[in-house]
Amino acid sequence: MNRCTQPVAVVAGGSGFIGRHLIAALTDDGYAVRRIGRNQAVRWSDARAMRHAVDGAALVVNLAGRSVDCRYTARNRHEILDSRTATTSALREAIRTADAPPRVWLNASTATIYRHSTERPNAEVDGVIGEGFSVDVATSWERELFEGDLPHTRRVALRMAIVLGDGPAAQRLLLLARLGLGGAHHDGWAPPHRRYRGIGTHPTGSDRAPWYRTHGRQRFSWIHIDDVIAAMRFLRDNDELSGPVNLTSPNPSDDRTLMRTLRRVVGAPFGLPSNRWMIDAAMAVLRTEPELILKSRWVLPEKLLDAGFSFRHPDLEEALRDVSRRTRSAR
């Protein structure tokens, strides 16, 4: 391809496993990829370099944000929030002041923005926004994305469910199943704490962490990494889609079914179920949060389906078997 006509894509915060897959896909599509990040040639602290990076770009994708796979200490809570809002704000300013702003800006968000739901799913139009720390992070993140007027740039918030691929979420689930710990997770009473209290300029929810008697029936919304990348390409090319878009399989599971499927995939004959007090103790040792497996996320990709998007991995068992095969072949 002629370098003078080669389109440019900017990927911010692309050092994680989604970013690696995205950069490879964009390179295959013929883009010259410019990267923004803490350890990239263009850094978040350099407003001028950021403006130059996005100027003339055809596409900007922002995946920046500290991992939520950690304990929600006071320090980590603020880092999780600030790493999302500050970078999104800086990117918005770079786009606003660019001479030739990008046509499309895809910005990461999360399906955790919706409430704990066991009675009905949440789609983009009628979904109910939740409350508490994780939701406040998501709503603050999206406010920064959609703030102000960018008349030449279409903005999309990627409300991603848990991504199955060669990343930490799927690898941890597969490991638990292999170790015989792949039973259902039962929510219930737990000692009160304040780690899930609201945060930001519009904090919501109670200071006390919620709990529910789910009996392992909390919903599990997920998406395969191949469909994440395919959906980004679809959104890039579809001028009719903007605003929040759910990136999640059309076939969500529940926790019991998820863990039973994992056991089949890895050939585990049994999986020990666990109650909230056991999960709390284990997650404290692992320095992460029970919310990541106990919150009921029931989310559907209504906008993508209505626009004609076709999922490559709509079935949970097939998706997990594909991930497991890729993991073995990469060793």
Side-chain angles (χ1 to χ4, degrees):
M1 180 178 291
N2 190 315
R3 291 181 62 87
C4 295
T5 61
Q6 186 177 17
V8 171
V10 176
V11 177
S15 60
F17 96 99
I18 296 175
R20 293 196 303 271
H21 282 269
L22 175 63
I23 290 169
L26 291 172
T27 302
D28 288 344
D29 290 346
Y31 285 86
V33 178
R34 299 171 183 167
R35 305 184 192 188
I36 299 174
R38 289 178 300 173
N39 300 312
Q40 301 297 333
V42 179
R43 303 197 176 193
W44 292 110
S45 58
D46 191 338
R48 182 177 179 180
M50 286 179 58
R51 183 172 65 251
H52 179 73
V54 303
D55 198 9
L59 170 69
V60 171
V61 183
N62 181 25
L63 301 172
R66 187 200 195 284
S67 172
V68 296
D69 187 11
C70 63
R71 204 67 170 167
Y72 293 169
T73 62
R75 177 177 177 177
N76 287 345
R77 279 163 47 89
H78 285 287
E79 286 185 358
I80 288 170
L81 176 64
D82 294 345
S83 65
R84 287 159 172 76
T85 57
T87 53
T88 302
S89 175
L91 198 54
R92 188 186 68 245
E93 181 64 13
I95 292 172
R96 186 188 68 81
T97 56
D99 293 330
R103 182 177 61 85
V104 187
W105 176 13
L106 308 179
N107 204 82
S109 182
T110 173
T112 301
I113 197 170
Y114 299 110
R115 70 186 181 96
H116 176 103
S117 180
T118 55
E119 64 279 3
R120 73 171 185 86
N122 293 283
E124 296 92 344
V125 174
D126 61 356
V128 179
I129 304 301
E131 58 183 22
F133 170 67
S134 295
V135 172
D136 289 350
V137 169
T139 55
S140 299
W141 202 0
E142 292 192 3
R143 274 196 299 272
E144 290 295 341
L145 169 62
F146 295 117
E147 180 73 21
D149 187 27
L150 298 178
H152 304 294
T153 303
R154 176 167 54 91
R155 289 173 277 185
V156 179
L158 307 171
R159 290 182 176 174
M160 275 184 275
I162 292 174
V163 180
L164 302 181
D166 54 338
Q171 302 313 306
R172 178 167 290 180
L173 288 170
L174 289 166
L175 176 61
L176 287 175
R178 291 190 184 100
L179 294 175
L181 302 176
H185 303 104
H186 296 258
D187 199 357
W189 181 89
H193 63 78
R194 301 182 63 244
R195 296 192 305 277
Y196 300 167
R197 66 192 183 278
I199 195 171
T201 56
H202 302 85
T204 64
S206 170
D207 275 2
R208 297 171 66 90
W211 58 271
Y212 308 88
R213 295 202 181 279
T214 60
H215 304 290
R217 294 296 183 188
Q218 63 270 26
R219 305 295 292 193
F220 176 77
S221 289
W222 60 276
I223 186 170
H224 192 286
I225 183 62
D226 289 352
D227 285 319
V228 171
I229 302 305
M232 288 186 186
R233 283 168 161 155
F234 185 83
L235 291 165
R236 173 197 66 193
D237 299 336
N238 193 320
D239 292 335
E240 303 302 315
L241 289 173
S242 62
V245 176
N246 294 338
L247 267 60
T248 178
S249 164
N251 300 310
S253 178
D254 65 14
D255 183 75
R256 283 177 178 267
T257 304
L258 166 68
M259 303 313 292
R260 184 168 59 246
T261 305
L262 280 165
R263 295 196 299 271
R264 282 200 302 270
V265 168
V266 303
F270 66 91
L272 294 174
S274 51
N275 294 318
R276 176 64 183 261
W277 65 270
M278 301 164 64
I279 296 168
D280 272 6
M283 292 302 184
V285 172
L286 294 173
R287 304 306 300 164
T288 189
E289 287 293 341
E291 179 190 51
L292 300 178
I293 58 173
L294 293 178
K295 180 174 179 178
S296 187
R297 298 170 175 86
W298 193 354
V299 185
L300 293 180
E302 192 171 90
K303 277 190 176 181
L304 285 176
L305 292 175
D306 288 349
F309 180 75
S310 179
F311 284 83
R312 301 179 186 181
H313 302 278
D315 178 73
L316 177 62
E317 183 160 349
E318 184 278 328
L320 287 171
R321 290 190 182 279
D322 179 78
V323 170
S324 181
R325 282 193 300 269
R326 295 189 190 189
T327 301
R328 291 196 303 270
S329 64
R331 291 174 183 171

